[in-house]
Amino acid sequence: MSLPLLKLGAVLSTMAMISNWMSQTLPSLVGLNTTRLWTPDTLTQISPKEGWQVYSSAQDPDGRCICTVVAPEQNLCSRDAKSRQLRQLLEKVQNMSQSIEVLNLRTQRDFQYVLKMETQMKGLKAKFRQIEDDRKTLMTKHFQELKEKMDELLPLIPVLEQYKTDAKLITQFKEEIRNLSAVLTGIQEEIGAYDYEELHQRVLSLETRLRDCMKKLTCGKLMKITGPVTVKTSGTRFGAWMTDPLASEKNNRVWYMDSYTNNKIVREYKSIADFVSGAESRTYNLPFKWAGTNHVVYNGSLYFNKYQSNIIIKYSFDMGRVLAQRSLEYAGFHNVYPYTWGGFSDIDLMADEIGLWAVYATNQNAGNIVISQLNQDTLEVMKSWSTGYPKRSAGESFMICGTLYVTNSHLTGAKVYYSYSTKTSTYEYTDIPFHNQYFHISMLDYNARDRALYAWNNGHQVLFNVTLFHIIKTEDDT
């Protein structure tokens, strides 16, 4: 192989080494290779210690940024530890800057060779054109040798052009490293300028301001459903599982009710982890069998539809007894007006940010959905709204911020197709798809505390994340 081609091979090898080194070193420096994904096979909760978490964001017509944020837990490390980490990071940046300098010198040296080689190639090309014009005066053999050599060199021209571009990119990286080093030095100096107590007070002040801002978040409108995440696979094709949206942050109990009929056993788990491992903490034997899978736990009590009736039962887990029961007037039951999958799902009990609800259908409303807000203590209907959507055409439904969202099927291809606002007494047709991973949904309920949809998906207990459009109130709006 000729000497120019050997040198060009060395240049390309150097370029590959630089590209590979940058793809491995730069992401680890700035933290781009530490992202963790929530896969369908595992349940990984984002720790609040890792930083501020943005659950959802959008932009209103006036251009204002709107978002949902969760503040990290307060866990201040010592100033010495933070300073040591910054110093180590600064040393890495400085070492990398030196490495970039060495690579830059090598690149400049090779670049001069490339420029010289490019000039020779262009001269050769011009000479070839001159010879070609007067080729009749040359021997055919010499002409053919020269043409073959030129054909070998022509494909290298675009490679050399790309190399010149890469050389400029390396120069840009060098400048960015210098800027990063300056920023880290400034941060290190700033940390040294404050004592621990002052930094502590600044963090507390920022946390207070953020929490005040989050309190101004009004109820949101459903924009997107993502997931699901499979938490567990257990039970029959039909069932319900849930947590209490009004429970304290330390109370993460899970309740599990398998099947849609002929059962009175409710299983309790202290946490999601215990639920996944199957470590029951308590079992309740209800005084009545339930109908359907559309139960809800709200403020420490279970609300369910009594089998073969339109009676709603309120059962206290702490007291272990029924606290209230009431007939839901005119409500169809026992598969008169079920969801599309049947299963005695005539009466759907649910809760959201506003309170406790019942969704059902009546003959008086021609089998269309009726929404009733219930008193959580007495189960009395406080107010009702009659919609025009047939209950038998609904796959499932759930409430978010006083708006009922209805799916058009319980099978593959299901989507949120209809919504009804109890605030404005208006409806609209929507098109919000979601992934029915296991092909058959028999329970779908919103949990306001977790901002998630709990679902029973053909013997799989899964979670869907929801994205809500929020409006942040300003002082002028109050």
Side-chain angles (χ1 to χ4, degrees):
M1 184 181 295
S2 63
L3 182 59
L5 292 180
L6 285 174
K7 290 186 177 181
L8 183 58
V11 170
L12 295 178
S13 176
T14 302
M15 290 167 56
M17 177 186 68
I18 294 173
S19 176
N20 182 58
W21 177 82
M22 287 183 176
S23 66
Q24 296 179 3
T25 304
L26 292 181
S28 63
L29 176 65
V30 297
L32 293 179
N33 61 347
T34 59
T35 303
R36 292 180 299 170
L37 297 180
W38 203 7
T39 64
D41 296 326
T42 60
L43 179 63
T44 305
Q45 297 180 341
I46 299 178
S47 171
K49 297 180 181 179
E50 296 180 359
W52 309 104
Q53 303 296 327
V54 179
Y55 277 11
S56 63
S57 63
Q59 191 174 43
D60 66 6
D62 297 328
R64 293 178 297 183
C65 181
I66 47 185
C67 61
T68 299
V69 189
V70 171
E73 294 179 3
Q74 180 181 327
N75 185 12
L76 296 176
C77 300
S78 68
R79 182 182 59 181
D80 293 340
K82 288 293 184 181
S83 299
R84 188 181 307 110
Q85 292 177 359
L86 277 173
R87 284 196 301 270
Q88 293 174 353
L89 182 58
L90 186 59
E91 290 175 0
K92 290 182 180 180
V93 171
Q94 291 173 346
N95 292 337
M96 191 174 70
S97 179
Q98 294 175 359
S99 300
I100 288 289
E101 188 68 33
V102 172
L103 289 173
N104 186 58
L105 292 175
R106 183 186 302 174
T107 301
Q108 294 299 325
R109 180 194 62 192
D110 294 340
F111 185 58
Q112 294 300 321
Y113 164 75
V114 168
L115 292 177
K116 181 177 179 181
M117 184 176 180
E118 183 182 23
T119 302
Q120 293 177 350
M121 290 175 62
K122 290 181 178 179
L124 182 60
K125 184 177 181 179
K127 184 176 180 181
F128 176 73
R129 288 176 179 172
Q130 180 181 358
I131 293 175
E132 188 176 20
D133 293 339
D134 196 24
R135 62 180 179 275
K136 293 181 180 180
T137 61
L138 298 175
M139 295 177 61
T140 303
K141 179 180 178 181
H142 292 166
F143 174 80
Q144 188 63 29
E145 291 177 353
L146 191 59
K147 190 175 186 305
E148 289 176 355
K149 186 175 182 180
M150 186 61 195
D151 289 340
E152 291 178 359
L153 292 175
L154 281 176
L156 296 178
I157 292 179
V159 176
L160 295 175
E161 292 293 335
Q162 181 62 41
Y163 182 78
K164 289 194 293 184
T165 302
D166 292 340
K168 293 180 181 179
L169 185 60
I170 291 178
T171 302
Q172 293 176 2
F173 277 133
K174 180 181 177 182
E175 185 63 27
E176 290 178 9
I177 292 297
R178 288 176 179 172
N179 294 338
L180 179 59
S181 178
V183 170
L184 288 174
T185 301
I187 292 175
Q188 189 178 33
E189 293 175 353
E190 183 178 356
I191 286 183
Y194 301 98
D195 59 20
Y196 174 80
E197 289 300 327
E198 186 173 355
L199 285 173
H200 188 193
Q201 293 302 320
R202 291 178 66 186
V203 170
L204 290 179
S205 175
L206 178 61
E207 183 177 6
T208 300
R209 289 166 57 193
L210 180 60
R211 293 190 183 277
D212 290 341
C213 178
M214 291 176 65
K215 290 178 181 178
K216 296 178 181 179
L217 284 175
T218 62
C219 268
K221 178 180 180 181
L222 180 65
M223 303 298 292
K224 184 170 67 172
I225 300 175
T226 54
V229 173
T230 301
V231 178
K232 188 177 182 179
T233 301
S234 64
T236 63
R237 293 184 64 195
F238 317 99
W241 72 294
M242 64 214 81
T243 59
D244 190 344
L246 294 186
S248 64
E249 293 183 0
K250 295 182 179 180
N251 184 351
N252 296 304
R253 289 186 294 175
V254 177
W255 291 273
Y256 178 88
M257 302 170 69
D258 192 12
S259 185
Y260 65 86
T261 186
N262 292 327
N263 199 349
K264 299 191 296 181
I265 303 301
V266 180
R267 306 184 189 281
E268 180 182 286
Y269 304 84
K270 289 184 177 180
S271 65
I272 288 285
D274 285 351
F275 174 61
V276 172
S277 65
E280 293 181 22
S281 62
R282 190 172 177 181
T283 299
Y284 301 90
N285 191 353
L286 301 178
F288 311 107
K289 295 179 181 179
W290 64 71
T293 59
N294 306 117
H295 332 294
V296 64
V297 174
Y298 189 69
N299 200 21
S301 294
L302 170 67
Y303 297 82
F304 66 96
N305 177 209
K306 183 180 178 181
Y307 180 58
Q308 289 188 333
S309 74
N310 59 6
I311 297 175
I312 300 174
I313 305 293
K314 177 183 179 180
Y315 178 87
S316 171
F317 285 126
D318 293 335
M319 299 181 183
R321 63 182 179 87
V322 173
L323 297 184
Q325 56 181 310
R326 184 178 295 272
S327 175
L328 195 59
E329 191 174 21
Y330 304 122
F333 62 93
H334 204 61
N335 273 348
V336 174
Y337 295 118
Y339 287 129
T340 54
W341 65 276
F344 306 138
S345 55
D346 303 70
I347 298 175
D348 192 349
L349 301 171
M350 56 189 72
D352 67 354
E353 293 85 352
I354 295 176
L356 184 66
W357 304 86
V359 172
Y360 54 98
T362 65
N363 291 334
Q364 289 76 3
N365 196 36
N368 295 323
I369 290 177
V370 176
I371 307 169
S372 291
Q373 188 174 6
L374 304 180
N375 182 298
Q376 64 171 304
D377 297 320
T378 66
L379 302 180
E380 289 181 306
V381 174
M382 297 189 292
K383 188 176 180 180
S384 292
W385 293 260
S386 296
T387 76
Y389 196 91
K391 177 73 160 54
R392 284 180 167 273
S393 297
E396 277 289 342
S397 66
F398 53 90
M399 295 287 292
I400 298 180
C401 299
T403 297
L404 179 70
Y405 294 93
V406 182
T407 70
N408 63 345
S409 174
H410 64 283
L411 301 173
T412 302
K415 62 182 178 180
V416 177
Y417 181 72
Y418 176 90
S419 67
Y420 187 95
S421 170
T422 59
K423 181 178 180 180
T424 61
S425 297
T426 58
Y427 71 91
E428 66 175 328
Y429 289 97
T430 61
D431 187 7
I432 305 176
F434 61 94
H435 183 41
N436 189 348
Q437 184 169 348
Y438 302 107
F439 318 117
H440 188 289
I441 290 180
S442 59
M443 170 253 180
L444 187 64
D445 276 331
Y446 172 71
N447 186 293
R449 185 183 73 164
D450 299 337
R451 290 287 174 89
L453 292 173
Y454 283 64
W456 191 288
N457 197 183
N458 204 7
H460 303 266
Q461 293 75 52
V462 303
L463 288 171
F464 291 93
N465 184 42
V466 297
T467 299
L468 305 180
F469 178 86
H470 294 280
I471 297 176
I472 300 180
K473 292 181 179 179
T474 63
E475 296 299 331
D476 295 336
D477 297 329
T478 58

